[in-house]
């Protein structure tokens, strides 16, 4: 995510099979060492008799195993000393890949003519890079916005909060507000998200989690009742009414998250999309 935010350039090391320049992909020191295959007579295919059942034979053409279907062979005395007759060599290459602003996860980047070489092919294939944006320990991405979760005390939610944050470009930001932080609401810092283009940016969204105290002494409750607004008791109660005390029942569970039938729902299968190179 830092690479995406800072628009960096990644260096990628690859090993590419390339046509041997010393023999121009022939596997021989010179063309005089290339001979017609004696096994197939230069056709690359041979006729074979296949037994398909009792007293049943069938003739079929198959690739010549001696020349591997090439129809030609290199004289052992004239094998290329660089590629050892394999016609290709392995080369180490470095690709400088700019991480563009706003690049999306799983984006496909095509580099023409950088696939492995095939000396028997007329066209050269492309190298396709797929961008995989790793999960960040602090920031989450939502479109062009960045999201962070921050735990604060109840006192900070009521009286104001101030904390330090190191951004993806190593800047030290002081996040501050004197407003009352309300639960389940988002707060933002404009233009501190990912770049949409050279002029527009997303926002940095802060999601506060208010940490409540586990218990309070009677003295503190008395003190808080004096300084905080409280609900006036305008209800009347019968003398013989029963008093029931609440107990903590744990985290709330929403019914839509529970499958009452005990069966797992099967997701709808999407159609297969053909990828164009």
């Amino acid at each position: 995510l830092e690479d995406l935010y800072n628009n960096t350039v990644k260096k990628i090391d690859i090993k590419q099979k390339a046509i041997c320049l010393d023999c121009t992909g022939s596997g021989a020191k010179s063309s005089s060492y290339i001979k017609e295959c004696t096994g197939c007579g230069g056709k690359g295919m041979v006729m074979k008799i296949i037994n398909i059942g009792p007293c049943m034979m069938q003739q079929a053409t198959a690739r010549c195993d001696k020349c591997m279907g090439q129809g030609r062979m290199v004289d052992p005395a004239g094998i290329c000393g660089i590629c050892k007759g394999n016609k290709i060599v392995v080369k180490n290459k470095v690709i400088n890949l700019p991480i563009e602003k706003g690049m999306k996860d799983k984006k496909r980047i095509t580099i023409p003519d950088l696939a492995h070489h095939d000396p028997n092919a007329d066209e050269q294939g492309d190298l396709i890079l797929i961008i995989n944006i790793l999960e960040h320990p602090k920031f989450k991405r939502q479109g062009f916005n960045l999201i962070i979760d921050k735990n604060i005390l109840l006192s900070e939610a009521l009286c104001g909060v101030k904390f330090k944050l190191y951004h993806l470009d190593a800047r030290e930001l002081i996040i501050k507000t004197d407003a009352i932080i309300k639960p389940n609401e988002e707060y933002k810092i404009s233009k501190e998200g990912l770049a949409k283009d050279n002029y527009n940016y997303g926002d940095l969204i802060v999601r506060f989690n208010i940490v409540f105290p586990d218990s309070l002494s009677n003295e503190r409750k008395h003190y808080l009742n004096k300084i905080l607004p409280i609900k006036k008791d305008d209800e009347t109660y019968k003398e013989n009414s029963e008093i029931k005390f609440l107990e903590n029942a744990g985290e709330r569970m929403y019914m839509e998250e529970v499958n009452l039938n005990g069966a797992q729902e099967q997701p709808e299968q999407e159609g297969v999309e053909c990828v164009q190179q």
Side-chain angles (χ1 to χ4, degrees), residues 1-20:
L1 195 59
E2 291 93 335
D3 298 324
L4 186 66
Y5 185 84
N6 295 302
N7 196 207
T8 57
V9 176
K10 301 291 289 185
K11 289 187 177 181
I12 304 175
D13 297 324
I14 66 169
K15 295 183 181 296
Q16 182 194 26
K17 295 179 181 179
I19 292 178
C20 177

PDB file of all heavy atoms in Angstrom, residues 1-20:
ATOM      1  N   LEU A   1       0.829  -1.203   0.000  1.00  0.00           N
ATOM      2  CA  LEU A   1       0.000   0.000   0.000  1.00  0.00           C
ATOM      3  C   LEU A   1       0.866   1.258   0.000  1.00  0.00           C
ATOM      4  O   LEU A   1       0.500   2.266  -0.585  1.00  0.00           O
ATOM      5  CB  LEU A   1      -0.938  -0.016   1.205  1.00  0.00           C
ATOM      6  CG  LEU A   1      -2.103   0.973   1.161  1.00  0.00           C
ATOM      7  CD1 LEU A   1      -2.990   0.748  -0.047  1.00  0.00           C
ATOM      8  CD2 LEU A   1      -2.942   0.874   2.433  1.00  0.00           C
ATOM      9  N   GLU A   2       2.030   1.205   0.677  1.00  0.00           N
ATOM     10  CA  GLU A   2       2.951   2.334   0.649  1.00  0.00           C
ATOM     11  C   GLU A   2       3.434   2.623  -0.778  1.00  0.00           C
ATOM     12  O   GLU A   2       3.573   3.772  -1.182  1.00  0.00           O
ATOM     13  CB  GLU A   2       4.158   2.076   1.557  1.00  0.00           C
ATOM     14  CG  GLU A   2       3.832   2.065   3.037  1.00  0.00           C
ATOM     15  CD  GLU A   2       3.545   0.669   3.542  1.00  0.00           C
ATOM     16  OE1 GLU A   2       3.132  -0.185   2.720  1.00  0.00           O
ATOM     17  OE2 GLU A   2       3.710   0.431   4.754  1.00  0.00           O
ATOM     18  N   ASP A   3       3.692   1.562  -1.535  1.00  0.00           N
ATOM     19  CA  ASP A   3       4.135   1.742  -2.925  1.00  0.00           C
ATOM     20  C   ASP A   3       3.067   2.438  -3.752  1.00  0.00           C
ATOM     21  O   ASP A   3       3.360   3.288  -4.594  1.00  0.00           O
ATOM     22  CB  ASP A   3       4.468   0.380  -3.551  1.00  0.00           C
ATOM     23  CG  ASP A   3       5.608  -0.318  -2.833  1.00  0.00           C
ATOM     24  OD1 ASP A   3       6.524   0.377  -2.382  1.00  0.00           O
ATOM     25  OD2 ASP A   3       5.570  -1.545  -2.716  1.00  0.00           O
ATOM     26  N   LEU A   4       1.819   2.068  -3.519  1.00  0.00           N
ATOM     27  CA  LEU A   4       0.713   2.670  -4.260  1.00  0.00           C
ATOM     28  C   LEU A   4       0.540   4.133  -3.879  1.00  0.00           C
ATOM     29  O   LEU A   4       0.302   4.985  -4.734  1.00  0.00           O
ATOM     30  CB  LEU A   4      -0.568   1.887  -3.978  1.00  0.00           C
ATOM     31  CG  LEU A   4      -1.807   2.283  -4.765  1.00  0.00           C
ATOM     32  CD1 LEU A   4      -1.609   1.985  -6.243  1.00  0.00           C
ATOM     33  CD2 LEU A   4      -3.031   1.537  -4.254  1.00  0.00           C
ATOM     34  N   TYR A   5       0.666   4.443  -2.597  1.00  0.00           N
ATOM     35  CA  TYR A   5       0.472   5.820  -2.121  1.00  0.00           C
ATOM     36  C   TYR A   5       1.592   6.734  -2.610  1.00  0.00           C
ATOM     37  O   TYR A   5       1.361   7.890  -2.974  1.00  0.00           O
ATOM     38  CB  TYR A   5       0.412   5.832  -0.594  1.00  0.00           C
ATOM     39  CG  TYR A   5       0.087   7.180  -0.003  1.00  0.00           C
ATOM     40  CD1 TYR A   5      -1.226   7.605   0.123  1.00  0.00           C
ATOM     41  CD2 TYR A   5       1.100   8.041   0.434  1.00  0.00           C
ATOM     42  CE1 TYR A   5      -1.532   8.844   0.667  1.00  0.00           C
ATOM     43  CE2 TYR A   5       0.809   9.270   0.971  1.00  0.00           C
ATOM     44  CZ  TYR A   5      -0.509   9.670   1.086  1.00  0.00           C
ATOM     45  OH  TYR A   5      -0.800  10.899   1.622  1.00  0.00           O
ATOM     46  N   ASN A   6       2.820   6.209  -2.627  1.00  0.00           N
ATOM     47  CA  ASN A   6       3.986   7.029  -2.961  1.00  0.00           C
ATOM     48  C   ASN A   6       4.368   6.961  -4.433  1.00  0.00           C
ATOM     49  O   ASN A   6       5.364   7.573  -4.829  1.00  0.00           O
ATOM     50  CB  ASN A   6       5.175   6.610  -2.100  1.00  0.00           C
ATOM     51  CG  ASN A   6       4.943   6.890  -0.631  1.00  0.00           C
ATOM     52  OD1 ASN A   6       4.705   8.016  -0.243  1.00  0.00           O
ATOM     53  ND2 ASN A   6       4.994   5.849   0.200  1.00  0.00           N
ATOM     54  N   ASN A   7       3.595   6.212  -5.239  1.00  0.00           N
ATOM     55  CA  ASN A   7       3.848   6.151  -6.677  1.00  0.00           C
ATOM     56  C   ASN A   7       5.293   5.722  -6.974  1.00  0.00           C
ATOM     57  O   ASN A   7       6.014   6.360  -7.743  1.00  0.00           O
ATOM     58  CB  ASN A   7       3.557   7.507  -7.310  1.00  0.00           C
ATOM     59  CG  ASN A   7       3.417   7.429  -8.827  1.00  0.00           C
ATOM     60  OD1 ASN A   7       3.663   8.399  -9.520  1.00  0.00           O
ATOM     61  ND2 ASN A   7       3.034   6.297  -9.352  1.00  0.00           N
ATOM     62  N   THR A   8       5.722   4.627  -6.340  1.00  0.00           N
ATOM     63  CA  THR A   8       7.101   4.176  -6.467  1.00  0.00           C
ATOM     64  C   THR A   8       7.291   3.320  -7.726  1.00  0.00           C
ATOM     65  O   THR A   8       6.342   3.003  -8.435  1.00  0.00           O
ATOM     66  CB  THR A   8       7.512   3.349  -5.236  1.00  0.00           C
ATOM     67  OG1 THR A   8       6.606   2.246  -5.095  1.00  0.00           O
ATOM     68  CG2 THR A   8       7.462   4.198  -3.977  1.00  0.00           C
ATOM     69  N   VAL A   9       8.530   2.941  -7.965  1.00  0.00           N
ATOM     70  CA  VAL A   9       8.885   2.073  -9.083  1.00  0.00           C
ATOM     71  C   VAL A   9       9.449   0.775  -8.506  1.00  0.00           C
ATOM     72  O   VAL A   9      10.405   0.789  -7.734  1.00  0.00           O
ATOM     73  CB  VAL A   9       9.920   2.741 -10.014  1.00  0.00           C
ATOM     74  CG1 VAL A   9      10.342   1.772 -11.120  1.00  0.00           C
ATOM     75  CG2 VAL A   9       9.355   4.020 -10.609  1.00  0.00           C
ATOM     76  N   LYS A  10       8.832  -0.344  -8.851  1.00  0.00           N
ATOM     77  CA  LYS A  10       9.270  -1.643  -8.357  1.00  0.00           C
ATOM     78  C   LYS A  10      10.203  -2.295  -9.374  1.00  0.00           C
ATOM     79  O   LYS A  10       9.941  -2.284 -10.574  1.00  0.00           O
ATOM     80  CB  LYS A  10       8.064  -2.553  -8.115  1.00  0.00           C
ATOM     81  CG  LYS A  10       7.066  -2.002  -7.110  1.00  0.00           C
ATOM     82  CD  LYS A  10       7.619  -1.982  -5.711  1.00  0.00           C
ATOM     83  CE  LYS A  10       7.744  -3.365  -5.136  1.00  0.00           C
ATOM     84  NZ  LYS A  10       8.175  -3.333  -3.711  1.00  0.00           N
ATOM     85  N   LYS A  11      11.288  -2.867  -8.875  1.00  0.00           N
ATOM     86  CA  LYS A  11      12.213  -3.613  -9.728  1.00  0.00           C
ATOM     87  C   LYS A  11      11.889  -5.098  -9.611  1.00  0.00           C
ATOM     88  O   LYS A  11      11.871  -5.652  -8.517  1.00  0.00           O
ATOM     89  CB  LYS A  11      13.656  -3.341  -9.312  1.00  0.00           C
ATOM     90  CG  LYS A  11      14.132  -1.935  -9.654  1.00  0.00           C
ATOM     91  CD  LYS A  11      15.610  -1.779  -9.363  1.00  0.00           C
ATOM     92  CE  LYS A  11      16.093  -0.391  -9.778  1.00  0.00           C
ATOM     93  NZ  LYS A  11      17.548  -0.213  -9.525  1.00  0.00           N
ATOM     94  N   ILE A  12      11.627  -5.715 -10.748  1.00  0.00           N
ATOM     95  CA  ILE A  12      11.230  -7.120 -10.781  1.00  0.00           C
ATOM     96  C   ILE A  12      12.275  -7.912 -11.563  1.00  0.00           C
ATOM     97  O   ILE A  12      12.568  -7.604 -12.719  1.00  0.00           O
ATOM     98  CB  ILE A  12       9.841  -7.285 -11.435  1.00  0.00           C
ATOM     99  CG1 ILE A  12       8.811  -6.427 -10.700  1.00  0.00           C
ATOM    100  CG2 ILE A  12       9.426  -8.741 -11.448  1.00  0.00           C
ATOM    101  CD1 ILE A  12       7.458  -6.439 -11.357  1.00  0.00           C
ATOM    102  N   ASP A  13      12.842  -8.914 -10.917  1.00  0.00           N
ATOM    103  CA  ASP A  13      13.820  -9.791 -11.571  1.00  0.00           C
ATOM    104  C   ASP A  13      13.095 -10.980 -12.200  1.00  0.00           C
ATOM    105  O   ASP A  13      12.317 -11.654 -11.530  1.00  0.00           O
ATOM    106  CB  ASP A  13      14.854 -10.285 -10.560  1.00  0.00           C
ATOM    107  CG  ASP A  13      15.673  -9.148  -9.963  1.00  0.00           C
ATOM    108  OD1 ASP A  13      15.968  -8.198 -10.703  1.00  0.00           O
ATOM    109  OD2 ASP A  13      15.999  -9.218  -8.762  1.00  0.00           O
ATOM    110  N   ILE A  14      13.359 -11.224 -13.464  1.00  0.00           N
ATOM    111  CA  ILE A  14      12.756 -12.363 -14.147  1.00  0.00           C
ATOM    112  C   ILE A  14      13.836 -13.157 -14.868  1.00  0.00           C
ATOM    113  O   ILE A  14      14.917 -12.643 -15.171  1.00  0.00           O
ATOM    114  CB  ILE A  14      11.669 -11.927 -15.167  1.00  0.00           C
ATOM    115  CG1 ILE A  14      12.307 -11.138 -16.319  1.00  0.00           C
ATOM    116  CG2 ILE A  14      10.579 -11.125 -14.504  1.00  0.00           C
ATOM    117  CD1 ILE A  14      11.359 -10.920 -17.479  1.00  0.00           C
ATOM    118  N   LYS A  15      13.538 -14.424 -15.099  1.00  0.00           N
ATOM    119  CA  LYS A  15      14.403 -15.287 -15.909  1.00  0.00           C
ATOM    120  C   LYS A  15      13.642 -15.623 -17.183  1.00  0.00           C
ATOM    121  O   LYS A  15      12.593 -16.261 -17.129  1.00  0.00           O
ATOM    122  CB  LYS A  15      14.774 -16.552 -15.142  1.00  0.00           C
ATOM    123  CG  LYS A  15      15.632 -16.298 -13.903  1.00  0.00           C
ATOM    124  CD  LYS A  15      16.015 -17.605 -13.221  1.00  0.00           C
ATOM    125  CE  LYS A  15      16.839 -17.358 -11.969  1.00  0.00           C
ATOM    126  NZ  LYS A  15      18.140 -16.734 -12.278  1.00  0.00           N
ATOM    127  N   GLN A  16      14.181 -15.189 -18.311  1.00  0.00           N
ATOM    128  CA  GLN A  16      13.508 -15.378 -19.590  1.00  0.00           C
ATOM    129  C   GLN A  16      14.299 -16.341 -20.473  1.00  0.00           C
ATOM    130  O   GLN A  16      15.526 -16.224 -20.605  1.00  0.00           O
ATOM    131  CB  GLN A  16      13.341 -14.044 -20.309  1.00  0.00           C
ATOM    132  CG  GLN A  16      12.603 -14.173 -21.642  1.00  0.00           C
ATOM    133  CD  GLN A  16      12.741 -12.930 -22.489  1.00  0.00           C
ATOM    134  OE1 GLN A  16      13.712 -12.195 -22.361  1.00  0.00           O
ATOM    135  NE2 GLN A  16      11.774 -12.699 -23.362  1.00  0.00           N
ATOM    136  N   LYS A  17      13.576 -17.295 -21.048  1.00  0.00           N
ATOM    137  CA  LYS A  17      14.186 -18.171 -22.045  1.00  0.00           C
ATOM    138  C   LYS A  17      14.217 -17.427 -23.377  1.00  0.00           C
ATOM    139  O   LYS A  17      13.169 -17.083 -23.916  1.00  0.00           O
ATOM    140  CB  LYS A  17      13.394 -19.469 -22.181  1.00  0.00           C
ATOM    141  CG  LYS A  17      13.404 -20.332 -20.930  1.00  0.00           C
ATOM    142  CD  LYS A  17      12.581 -21.589 -21.118  1.00  0.00           C
ATOM    143  CE  LYS A  17      12.573 -22.449 -19.871  1.00  0.00           C
ATOM    144  NZ  LYS A  17      11.741 -23.673 -20.050  1.00  0.00           N
ATOM    145  N   ALA A  18      15.410 -17.179 -23.879  1.00  0.00           N
ATOM    146  CA  ALA A  18      15.563 -16.401 -25.110  1.00  0.00           C
ATOM    147  C   ALA A  18      16.321 -17.226 -26.151  1.00  0.00           C
ATOM    148  O   ALA A  18      17.093 -18.134 -25.822  1.00  0.00           O
ATOM    149  CB  ALA A  18      16.310 -15.100 -24.840  1.00  0.00           C
ATOM    150  N   ILE A  19      16.083 -16.914 -27.410  1.00  0.00           N
ATOM    151  CA  ILE A  19      16.757 -17.616 -28.508  1.00  0.00           C
ATOM    152  C   ILE A  19      18.256 -17.347 -28.440  1.00  0.00           C
ATOM    153  O   ILE A  19      18.697 -16.209 -28.235  1.00  0.00           O
ATOM    154  CB  ILE A  19      16.195 -17.156 -29.867  1.00  0.00           C
ATOM    155  CG1 ILE A  19      14.744 -17.637 -30.009  1.00  0.00           C
ATOM    156  CG2 ILE A  19      17.039 -17.679 -31.019  1.00  0.00           C
ATOM    157  CD1 ILE A  19      14.087 -17.191 -31.291  1.00  0.00           C
ATOM    158  N   CYS A  20      19.036 -18.396 -28.563  1.00  0.00           N
ATOM    159  CA  CYS A  20      20.492 -18.273 -28.524  1.00  0.00           C
ATOM    160  C   CYS A  20      20.962 -17.445 -29.719  1.00  0.00           C
ATOM    161  O   CYS A  20      20.697 -17.800 -30.884  1.00  0.00           O
ATOM    162  CB  CYS A  20      21.131 -19.663 -28.540  1.00  0.00           C
ATOM    163  SG  CYS A  20      22.948 -19.639 -28.588  1.00  0.00           S
TER     164      CYS A  20
END
